[in-house]
Amino acid sequence: MAQRKILNSEPEACGGDNGAKSLQAQEDNQDRIQIFKHDAVSLKNSKYSSEDYTGILKVIHYKEADKIYIEWNIAKISISSHEDEWAMVEKQDKVEDPVRESVSSSAASSSRRHHRPHKIHHSRRHHRHKGSSSSSEPLNDLEKGNPQRPSQALFIDLYGIKSYRVSKKKNTVEIIQRSGSKDLFLFQNGTPDTFIDMLRSLLKTKRAPGRKNLYNVLGRTTGPTFADLNLFENEEQPSTVLWKFISNIQQRPLETTLSSFAKFSDYMLYNKNIEPHRETEVAKVAEIVNRTLELDEDYTVVGGKPISLRPRPPVQRGDPLSHDDWYEVQDSDGRVKDSDKIKKIIFRGGVKPSLRMVWKFLLGMYPWDSTRDEREDILKKKSQEYHRMKQQWQSISQDQEDRWADYSARKSLIEKDVCRTDRELPFFAEDSQGSDRNLQTLQDILMTYVMYNFDLGYVQGMSDLLSPLLCTLQDEVETFWCFVSFMERTKHNFDMDQAGMKKQLGQVYQTLSILTPDLSTYLGRVEASNMFFCFRWLLVLFKREFSHDDIMVLWEVLWTDLPCPNFHILICAAILDQEKNNIMSNDLGFTEILKHVNDLCRKLNLNSILCNAEGIYLQLLEAKETLPTPIKKMFGFVPPDNSDSSDCESDIDNTKYDKPSAPSKPCAEPVNSILEDGKKNLKSADYSSDSEDD
Amino acid sequence: MPLPDKREFLYKILVIGELGAGKTSIIKRYVHQFFSPHYRATIGVDFALKVINWDQETIIRLQLWDIAGQERFGNMTRVYYKEAVGAFIVFDVTRAATFDAVLKWKQDLDAKVTLPDGNSIPCVLLANKCDQPKEGIANNQNKIDEFVKENNFSGWFETSAKDNINIDDAAKMLVQKILENDKVQANGNSRPTSEPMFSLSKDQDTKSRKNCAC
């Protein structure tokens, strides 16, 4: 029989004895598996006459009772928090780690488990929180009693549903129970598609004759059948399906094909029961799809099976580039004879702080093979050019500026940001006379950059990118030109339409979906697949996340362009992989992930992240044949678009990057192994960007 | 001694306005009672939580979203605005241009988030840095009064994060408006007004009192 209860909270939290309470208690034990969750769903029924309240819609499987409930909880804001910060309590007695357990929409039993108790409603943990955000004491009070009691909630027994009605236009789903009760869910921020897919995966349905959007429930699904693929629209006549498909494919060929194939691949991904002899066929189909479609980067066709990466090989960091290393590779005229070797050392160990003038080479201000005399000439020229542009803005009078809004706006932005850039560094502190000369230089360089590239101008974040360069190089002219090179690499972060940022956020997601599909699936489910929480990381290349010393190492590593293009995407992936359990086992939602990631600031261990990022690279490299095209392109496993194939006949194995010995064991002598091998002539895809042609 | 039924509300509040208007400084002053002229420019969004013992029966938690002021990043703010129930728009009285942008921020806000009944969320205007010499309209209180009325702000305050002027009062006004809205919404929905969104049981509540950060 259908169960349906509206719960109102009462002061005697523990006193009432009703079905709701026992359900809630179950929520707090491990018997409870969350199959589905959707934020920002409002409810309309006989009790709730308007869409006044937003809630969270979940589908929970209570294993022991073998009941599945659609649960809706009113929630103004779906976050958990407590007084000072929103630290999460870590659960000590968590038993299983669903590392590779993929979430299935078609079978509740393979869903990821959510151990409810460690997501703690803020109202229940005041007495414990003080200064102990990582408290590991067992949460006995939570597990034994005091279950969380939402003040407003609705429960619908899934197997008591008679029918449901879908309106895709209005983004609503109405559930009609056998008891006659009707509840209308409005999905405020998108379509109810995932919810409907979930219903279809659990219930056998048939379209009501003559009623376009009404589906009658016939019973439970017994197991995935071919029909569960819902390859085409639900339960329609084959002829209708066919004509619809044909019309779709005419109008939107790529989308239609991909969405059909996506349904195949989802089925393959999440179905563990593919007969072994079919696997090769499935893989072949995937390969055909990958080859046939010249895919936009927006689409990823996943192979028939989840791409299985080998375990991550351990990687070790090396020593920083030393003076000996540096002078050893130079001839008597000061030419750097073996820039590849230098880059390899820097990739693996950074640069000794006193030797950071090599940044001028790394960033391309000086060609590696220039002589000392040539460099003097270059500097002279660059210096003149710099001062010419500096002169330009310095000669603008206030009067002129008043009539030049675009310039004035840029200048004002710079002034606002310069005075609050890295002020905790002694370098930017006022001296005893109250002078802040270095801050002034920072401003001058940014103003001159406005003259160098007026269209880009100044965007917040640029002062963060400049500051470490000035601190290190100190010379105004050299810092400017190195900044120009750095901006060449990162200018798309500051696109007016944010295209560059969106692309990279998408790349992080794509990478995660290969590396750790359970996390990417999870992020999709909590509506965090936009990856906005990586925004600051990417915009200023982790500048805010690491200490001043660490950021210099990280950047010089990135400037080597080893081992592949877009290595910074792998840094993101490494950090998220490391935080995966925190995110998933605490059941963090979009806001909470944003907060969690913000709070990682200055708590990250650079060396271990670099090792992991390189390890991930090696994992991908090993599986490169099976990777989707966008991933291959992203990390240079195939030539980038429009490039002459003769340039790129070399494969990644022939690049300037040396793998750290055998992947199965730690690299004992990373530096030596690099030093051994100096003669790599073949270019990797296009990212061996040193200035040999200059 | 256990207190009677304690109500608890959690509200998401946006703090928006032009770059360098003092959004972060206002939040840090409000939450941590501290001021520095050197807070870094916010990139993306930062968070802070302020707990208010509103009255004997009510604890209010304000989840403050400190959103970067750079216009270029504006197109991702729709996601950040989601589910907010109140907002501060901040401008800098020493720079008239920051006031000129207030309307743009207000329109953006109203376009991206509304109360469930379709009304705009309560929004208080903050004329920050009032400890410094003013430029333009900031000198004319009547004009701002008019502007505020015309553009459907709940009210406005001259504030100074540096000298801690009016920030608490501004927050009080905003919370007041939010609570009023909550009651109206609840009435319209035939939901008992006395019923809190988040309810505490007795024993936890007494313990929570001493740890409140406010």
Side-chain angles (χ1 to χ4, degrees):
Chain A
M1 198 203 116
Q3 279 195 15
R4 182 172 174 281
K5 293 185 180 71
I6 292 278
L7 307 177
N8 289 319
S9 76
E10 293 139 18
E12 314 67 54
C14 306
D17 182 27
N18 54 27
K21 191 185 165 217
S22 59
L23 273 178
Q24 285 296 311
Q26 280 188 1
E27 241 189 73
D28 282 346
N29 68 40
Q30 301 187 356
D31 170 47
R32 184 182 181 284
I33 296 167
Q34 180 175 299
I35 302 171
F36 173 86
K37 182 181 167 192
H38 201 298
D39 291 338
V41 177
S42 57
L43 170 65
K44 202 171 174 179
N45 59 26
S46 54
K47 267 255 169 92
Y48 288 76
S49 55
S50 75
E51 292 147 9
D52 280 352
Y53 290 97
T54 297
I56 299 171
L57 187 65
K58 293 181 183 176
V59 176
I60 307 290
H61 182 203
Y62 295 90
K63 255 170 85 183
E64 207 167 311
D66 190 25
K67 286 266 186 194
I68 298 177
Y69 283 90
I70 298 173
E71 303 185 2
W72 179 83
N73 283 284
I74 196 163
K76 274 252 142 151
I77 302 167
S78 59
I79 67 135
S80 74
S81 58
H82 68 119
E83 275 84 345
D84 302 311
E85 297 292 342
W86 307 345
M88 306 311 282
V89 171
E90 291 181 359
K91 188 166 158 63
Q92 184 197 44
D93 53 349
K94 178 137 165 50
V95 281
E96 40 180 282
D97 169 20
V99 177
R100 287 268 162 195
E101 203 176 344
S102 58
V103 180
S104 166
S105 59
S106 61
S109 57
S110 65
S111 291
R112 205 170 46 75
R113 285 160 175 270
H114 287 268
H115 303 290
R116 182 66 182 185
H118 47 270
K119 178 175 181 178
I120 294 157
H121 195 275
H122 57 79
S123 60
R124 293 185 290 138
R125 55 180 305 270
H126 302 150
H127 53 291
R128 195 188 311 111
H129 90 283
K130 201 70 178 180
S132 61
S133 60
S134 60
S135 155
S136 58
E137 63 185 284
L139 307 175
N140 289 328
D141 54 344
L142 295 171
E143 268 138 27
K144 288 177 183 151
N146 285 337
Q148 180 184 347
R149 290 169 46 85
S151 45
Q152 304 280 324
L154 166 77
F155 292 85
I156 299 172
D157 181 354
L158 188 87
Y159 299 128
I161 296 175
K162 179 171 165 257
S163 54
Y164 63 90
R165 182 182 283 118
V166 182
S167 166
K168 292 211 171 179
K169 262 190 208 150
K170 294 182 192 155
N171 286 333
T172 59
V173 178
E174 185 175 35
I175 306 278
I176 300 122
Q177 298 180 57
R178 280 188 221 125
S179 63
S181 319
K182 293 179 180 177
D183 300 284
L184 183 85
F185 295 109
L186 169 68
F187 292 74
Q188 295 177 341
N189 302 310
T191 72
D193 292 353
T194 51
F195 180 63
I196 297 163
D197 287 348
M198 186 279 312
L199 285 180
R200 285 176 182 169
S201 70
L202 297 169
L203 298 170
K204 251 190 218 159
T205 58
K206 189 170 171 52
R207 190 154 67 88
R211 307 283 295 278
K212 204 174 161 210
N213 298 316
L214 184 69
Y215 297 91
N216 289 326
V217 175
L218 305 175
R220 297 182 182 206
T221 47
T222 43
T225 63
F226 192 73
D228 292 317
L229 276 171
N230 285 316
L231 189 55
F232 306 117
E233 289 305 307
N234 198 38
E235 313 286 335
E236 287 175 282
Q237 290 299 314
S239 60
T240 327
V241 170
L242 182 63
W243 288 114
K244 200 168 189 177
F245 181 77
I246 287 171
S247 127
N248 280 343
I249 213 160
Q250 281 173 342
Q251 289 159 19
R252 297 172 293 130
L254 185 60
E255 285 86 345
T256 307
T257 315
L258 286 180
S259 68
S260 306
F261 277 117
K263 284 170 180 169
F264 273 121
S265 66
D266 282 353
Y267 181 77
M268 303 308 177
L269 258 177
Y270 299 129
N271 188 336
K272 301 201 164 128
N273 305 320
I274 296 177
E275 302 145 61
H277 68 275
R278 297 271 181 218
E279 281 183 8
T280 40
E281 292 171 39
V282 167
K284 273 180 199 157
V285 170
E287 180 52 34
I288 291 167
V289 175
N290 274 323
R291 256 189 291 136
T292 317
L293 296 166
E294 193 38 55
L295 288 172
D296 215 40
E297 298 219 340
D298 290 346
Y299 296 96
T300 309
V301 172
V302 179
K305 288 282 289 175
I307 291 160
S308 57
L309 300 179
R310 299 272 286 276
R312 192 167 309 160
V315 172
Q316 284 185 358
R317 301 282 299 152
D319 293 328
L321 182 77
S322 69
H323 289 80
D324 286 349
D325 299 329
W326 179 242
Y327 292 114
E328 193 182 280
V329 295
Q330 290 184 46
D331 67 13
S332 54
D333 294 326
R335 290 189 195 88
V336 177
K337 301 309 285 178
D338 191 349
S339 59
D340 290 350
K341 180 170 147 189
I342 296 294
K343 284 190 202 168
K344 275 179 215 154
I345 298 173
I346 296 174
F347 171 70
R348 201 161 291 294
V351 179
K352 275 212 160 134
S354 55
L355 195 61
R356 289 217 158 107
M357 41 72 65
V358 303
W359 286 7
K360 292 178 249 177
F361 295 85
L362 212 44
L363 282 166
M365 181 189 169
Y366 297 128
W368 293 98
D369 58 0
S370 57
T371 63
R372 265 181 231 103
D373 294 346
E374 286 166 343
R375 293 200 284 269
E376 238 168 69
D377 286 348
I378 289 170
L379 182 59
K380 213 178 276 172
K381 257 192 234 156
K382 297 259 182 198
S383 181
Q384 283 166 1
E385 204 178 333
Y386 175 76
H387 285 106
R388 182 176 55 78
M389 290 185 287
K390 187 175 176 182
Q391 187 67 41
Q392 288 171 347
W393 65 264
Q394 281 187 327
S395 63
I396 293 169
S397 66
Q398 184 59 49
D399 185 46
Q400 255 181 307
E401 190 185 322
D402 291 345
R403 290 185 301 270
W404 192 2
D406 283 350
Y407 170 79
S408 175
R410 285 158 173 76
K411 186 179 166 196
S412 156
L413 288 181
I414 290 172
E415 283 167 356
K416 277 289 140 203
D417 275 3
V418 162
C419 65
R420 48 182 176 161
T421 302
D422 289 337
R423 292 304 296 274
E424 80 284 358
L425 297 177
F427 184 76
F428 290 121
E430 286 179 4
D431 63 22
S432 48
Q433 278 93 50
S435 150
D436 45 12
R437 214 167 41 85
N438 294 328
L439 222 52
Q440 187 56 50
T441 310
L442 196 72
Q443 170 141 343
D444 289 355
I445 294 174
L446 289 169
M447 287 299 296
T448 309
Y449 188 78
V450 166
M451 287 298 154
Y452 175 83
N453 186 347
F454 192 82
D455 290 344
L456 182 54
Y458 175 80
V459 187
Q460 256 185 359
M462 288 188 192
S463 70
D464 276 277
L465 297 182
L466 173 59
S467 149
L469 299 186
L470 182 59
C471 290
T472 303
L473 302 171
Q474 309 223 349
D475 179 81
E476 184 174 341
V477 171
E478 291 178 325
T479 304
F480 173 81
W481 289 107
C482 285
F483 179 66
V484 167
S485 305
F486 193 13
M487 285 305 302
E488 270 313 298
R489 294 165 165 268
T490 47
K491 65 183 176 195
H492 291 298
N493 288 6
F494 305 100
D495 288 343
M496 190 54 98
D497 59 0
Q498 292 283 283
M501 287 302 297
K502 284 179 197 159
K503 180 178 174 190
Q504 292 174 78
L505 292 169
Q507 287 177 326
V508 177
Y509 186 77
Q510 286 177 329
T511 306
L512 284 187
S513 62
I514 300 297
L515 176 71
T516 159
D518 47 347
L519 179 58
S520 64
T521 307
Y522 177 87
L523 293 174
R525 218 178 44 222
V526 299
E527 295 180 20
S529 55
N530 56 34
M531 308 302 281
F532 279 5
F533 47 86
C534 299
F535 182 80
R536 190 173 72 193
W537 295 0
L538 293 165
L539 187 83
V540 290
L541 277 166
F542 310 96
K543 165 72 162 42
R544 299 285 179 93
E545 320 310 317
F546 292 99
S547 70
H548 184 63
D549 291 341
D550 277 354
I551 201 62
M552 294 197 277
V553 176
L554 175 54
W555 284 359
E556 58 204 12
V557 166
L558 292 177
W559 293 335
T560 64
D561 292 317
L562 293 173
C564 61
N566 295 309
F567 188 61
H568 67 292
I569 300 291
L570 295 180
I571 305 263
C572 294
I575 300 173
L576 290 172
D577 189 48
Q578 168 192 304
E579 295 303 315
K580 180 168 85 176
N581 283 341
N582 276 333
I583 291 169
M584 289 173 61
S585 62
N586 287 313
D587 203 6
L588 303 189
F590 174 75
T591 301
E592 295 156 307
I593 296 173
L594 208 56
K595 168 78 178 150
H596 178 76
V597 166
N598 266 4
D599 289 348
L600 293 175
C601 169
R602 307 247 164 155
K603 290 177 195 155
L604 297 164
N605 180 325
L606 178 64
N607 270 336
S608 91
I609 288 164
L610 284 172
C611 289
N612 272 320
E614 190 186 349
I616 293 169
Y617 167 74
L618 293 169
Q619 284 179 290
L620 296 175
L621 177 65
E622 202 172 0
K624 65 176 175 171
E625 299 304 337
T626 62
L627 297 176
T629 311
I631 299 279
K632 285 185 191 164
K633 284 184 185 163
M634 201 185 308
F635 301 117
F637 299 148
V638 292
D641 292 327
N642 309 323
S643 61
D644 190 330
S645 62
S646 62
D647 263 357
C648 307
E649 60 203 6
S650 70
D651 215 338
I652 195 72
D653 293 327
N654 295 328
T655 63
K656 299 169 180 182
Y657 165 71
D658 286 341
K659 285 190 227 172
S661 76
S664 55
K665 57 178 196 287
C667 170
E669 299 282 324
V671 179
N672 288 344
S673 75
I674 286 160
L675 290 175
E676 272 165 26
D677 179 47
K679 43 166 187 24
K680 297 290 183 196
N681 301 316
L682 293 165
K683 281 193 164 188
S684 74
D686 82 335
Y687 246 73
S688 34
S689 75
D690 51 303
S691 330
E692 285 157 359
D693 326 331
D694 287 17
Chain B
M1 198 185 94
L3 290 168
D5 188 23
K6 189 87 177 174
R7 306 184 304 164
E8 181 158 324
F9 298 87
L10 175 62
Y11 293 130
K12 172 172 171 179
I13 309 291
L14 306 175
V15 184
I16 53 181
E18 285 298 276
L19 175 157
K23 297 175 290 296
T24 305
S25 294
I26 284 174
I27 290 170
K28 299 262 176 172
R29 165 62 78 186
Y30 183 49
V31 175
H32 303 296
Q33 292 84 38
F34 186 76
F35 176 77
S36 155
H38 297 151
Y39 292 124
R40 293 166 182 280
T42 307
I43 293 177
V45 61
D46 277 331
F47 300 95
L49 191 77
K50 171 76 174 180
V51 182
I52 310 170
N53 281 312
W54 187 254
D55 59 28
Q56 285 289 353
E57 293 88 41
T58 321
I59 292 178
I60 289 174
R61 288 156 196 282
L62 299 183
Q63 182 190 89
L64 298 155
W65 286 55
D66 181 2
I67 294 176
Q70 174 96 42
E71 190 185 8
R72 195 156 310 193
F73 308 141
N75 62 10
M76 51 200 304
T77 50
R78 185 180 295 275
V79 180
Y80 296 157
Y81 285 13
K82 213 166 92 178
E83 292 173 325
V85 295
F88 291 113
I89 294 182
V90 185
F91 75 97
D92 173 355
V93 296
T94 70
R95 288 186 295 147
T98 63
F99 179 81
D100 298 340
V102 165
L103 203 51
K104 181 200 79 188
W105 283 103
K106 180 72 164 71
Q107 285 162 351
D108 187 52
L109 177 73
D110 291 346
K112 288 177 178 167
V113 62
T114 53
L115 293 172
D117 63 7
N119 284 325
S120 54
I121 65 170
C123 178
V124 172
L125 179 67
L126 304 183
N128 194 37
K129 308 194 190 176
C130 73
D131 55 290
Q132 292 179 48
K134 302 182 177 79
E135 182 185 274
I137 192 176
N139 289 301
N140 190 334
Q141 304 228 344
N142 291 338
K143 275 224 168 126
I144 301 184
D145 279 337
E146 240 170 71
F147 174 85
V148 159
K149 246 181 234 155
E150 259 170 39
N151 294 293
N152 196 23
F153 284 88
S154 305
W156 74 283
F157 289 84
E158 283 192 342
T159 57
S160 164
K162 187 166 166 234
D163 295 346
N164 195 17
I165 297 170
N166 274 344
I167 294 173
D168 286 331
D169 290 343
K172 250 175 224 157
M173 174 189 259
L174 186 63
V175 171
Q176 192 68 53
K177 291 282 170 194
I178 294 168
L179 286 170
E180 279 168 25
N181 279 334
D182 247 13
K183 278 183 190 148
V184 173
Q185 302 282 344
N187 282 333
N189 197 32
S190 70
R191 203 165 63 91
T193 52
S194 58
E195 189 183 304
M197 300 289 294
F198 299 95
S199 180
L200 296 175
S201 67
K202 301 176 247 180
D203 51 343
Q204 292 147 0
D205 182 61
T206 45
K207 286 171 192 161
S208 76
R209 300 281 305 177
K210 53 177 174 285
N211 282 341
C212 281
C214 47

